[in-house]
Amino acid sequence: MIKAAGAVLWREADGDVEIALVHRRRYDDWSLPKGKLDRGETIPACAVREVEEETGFSCVLGRHLRQVSYSVRGTAKTVDYFAAEAVSGTFTVNDEVDELRWLPLAEAPALLTYEPDREVLAEFARLPADLSLVLLVRHAKAGKRSEWDGDDDLRPLSDAGWRQAAALRSLLPLWSPTRVHSAPRVRCVDTVRGVAEDLSVELVEEPRLSEEGYWPDPEAGLVRLLEVATEEGRAVVSSQGGVIPSMVQTLAEMGGLRLDEIPCKKGSTWLLAFTRPFGTWSTSDSPSRWPALVSAYYVASALPRP
């Protein structure tokens, strides 16, 4: 299996959205920037690196768009595409790309050579480019509850858990979060503490998003997550395996989003994208006015590919 990643690279221009398409000299085609994973690299990190190598632009990832599958000389290949906003840079001719064009979103499909690229672009165009994002993280490994004699709230990360937390410290900034929230348990806080330190922001504790805070009143916990989603900037939220599947399932049902399964490994992340509510939103509003979950992508591990 060949794994690759890429992005729909976009920017705002005079109130419109423009898309970057690249011409590859070797194939004489127009495509979306993409490339194969390097050893020791995650899929999101590959998407960011390939965008910069092919286009010269640094980018911030947005929602996951779709995975494309095809065969290359008898070997299966998958390419995961994300939305990605260009934040800085300039194009120069390189070994793979000899031309880049910024085109209005409506004009870009006509230039693309391959139908799967047009399908990816159609998925990008289906929703606004700039959505509210929450990176919902299950805490990293913390050993077995049965082997810890102290207060379970104080159970610390294991050595493997600290490695997962370090990997999250590299992975989560690809989406440029500006806020970090966590259930109060030590293992939840320590999983994302490094991210907060790197951002120089205060870590906000969220009692409603712990197992003991969520289950007495799941609706209140869900509302609190939606409040976090609507605040300025993107958020990292660290919670527990007894909470995350319920929240993701309920949000998906409310948003009309079909999820066949909701895995939740320790150290994993759900990338949740929400529509922005119109006008001023209040938790007293009808649920139909609440932010709607429109995309959910599961990152099973922040640890790089061996």
Side-chain angles (χ1 to χ4, degrees), residues 238-289:
S238 178
S239 186
Q240 298 177 258
V243 174
I244 291 172
S246 172
M247 287 198 298
V248 173
Q249 180 65 47
T250 304
L251 289 167
E253 291 173 355
M254 290 170 58
L257 189 65
R258 178 180 175 180
L259 299 177
D260 294 330
E261 57 180 346
I262 305 177
C264 189
K265 292 173 58 178
K266 290 177 181 176
S268 63
T269 301
W270 275 97
L271 169 61
L272 306 178
F274 298 85
T275 56
R276 298 184 184 278
F278 295 102
T280 302
W281 177 73
S282 168
T283 53
S284 63
D285 291 336
S286 165
S288 63
R289 277 185 47 81

Side-chain angles (χ1 to χ4, degrees), residues 169 176-182 189 192-205 232-237:
R169 199 168 180 170
S176 194
T178 58
R179 296 176 286 116
V180 180
H181 303 251
S182 177
V189 170
V192 296
R193 185 190 301 278
V195 178
E197 290 175 354
D198 292 343
L199 295 174
S200 298
V201 299
E202 181 180 354
L203 189 150
V204 180
E205 291 195 352
E232 187 69 26
R234 295 170 170 184
V236 170
V237 176

Side-chain angles (χ1 to χ4, degrees), residues 1-264:
M1 172 71 74
I2 301 171
K3 289 187 176 293
V8 173
L9 183 66
W10 66 276
R11 68 182 184 186
E12 289 188 358
D14 299 326
D16 198 359
V17 171
E18 290 185 333
I19 306 299
L21 304 185
V22 295
H23 183 264
R24 300 184 298 175
R25 182 174 15 206
R26 179 181 177 186
Y27 303 104
D28 189 23
D29 62 9
W30 285 94
S31 67
L32 301 170
K34 66 178 182 297
K36 293 185 292 186
L37 269 68
D38 286 342
R39 187 172 297 277
E41 187 172 48
T42 62
I43 286 174
C46 174
V48 170
R49 176 183 56 77
E50 286 290 339
V51 164
E52 185 160 17
E53 289 181 358
E54 293 195 357
T55 71
F57 285 87
S58 299
C59 68
V60 172
L61 292 182
R63 69 183 175 104
H64 182 264
L65 298 173
R66 63 179 300 170
Q67 184 183 86
V68 172
S69 302
Y70 53 95
S71 179
V72 178
R73 294 185 292 278
T75 301
K77 180 175 182 178
T78 62
V79 187
D80 282 274
Y81 286 96
F82 296 83
E85 183 179 8
V87 294
S88 64
T90 185
F91 173 73
T92 56
V93 174
N94 55 70
D95 291 341
E96 295 188 56
V97 177
D98 61 355
E99 187 178 354
L100 178 146
R101 293 185 190 176
W102 286 101
L103 294 174
L105 179 55
E107 298 177 16
L111 185 61
L112 286 168
T113 302
Y114 306 111
E115 180 59 28
D117 283 1
R118 287 190 283 272
E119 293 172 357
V120 171
L121 194 56
E123 173 58 27
F124 172 84
R126 185 176 66 86
L127 294 167
D130 188 20
L131 296 165
S132 297
L133 292 185
V134 171
L135 296 153
L136 182 58
V137 178
R138 183 181 178 185
H139 69 75
K141 293 180 179 179
K144 295 181 179 179
R145 183 176 303 187
S146 61
E147 297 176 356
W148 174 251
D149 294 332
D151 184 342
D152 190 57
D153 285 2
L154 303 179
R155 180 155 47 100
L157 297 183
S158 63
D159 290 345
W162 282 112
R163 288 193 293 272
Q164 290 177 316
L168 286 163
R169 199 168 180 170
S170 297
L171 176 75
L172 300 179
L174 298 175
W175 286 274
S176 194
T178 58
R179 296 176 286 116
V180 180
H181 303 251
S182 177
R185 290 188 170 180
V186 165
R187 56 190 179 275
C188 296
V189 170
D190 282 349
T191 296
V192 296
R193 185 190 301 278
V195 178
E197 290 175 354
D198 292 343
L199 295 174
S200 298
V201 299
E202 181 180 354
L203 189 150
V204 180
E205 291 195 352
E206 299 288 352
R208 288 284 189 188
L209 302 184
S210 66
E211 289 175 352
E212 66 273 20
Y214 176 80
W215 283 109
D217 191 348
E219 183 176 338
L222 200 68
V223 167
R224 178 58 195 144
L225 184 68
L226 290 172
E227 288 175 335
V228 170
T230 58
E231 293 171 10
E232 187 69 26
R234 295 170 170 184
V236 170
V237 176
S238 178
S239 186
Q240 298 177 258
V243 174
I244 291 172
S246 172
M247 287 198 298
V248 173
Q249 180 65 47
T250 304
L251 289 167
E253 291 173 355
M254 290 170 58
L257 189 65
R258 178 180 175 180
L259 299 177
D260 294 330
E261 57 180 346
I262 305 177
C264 189

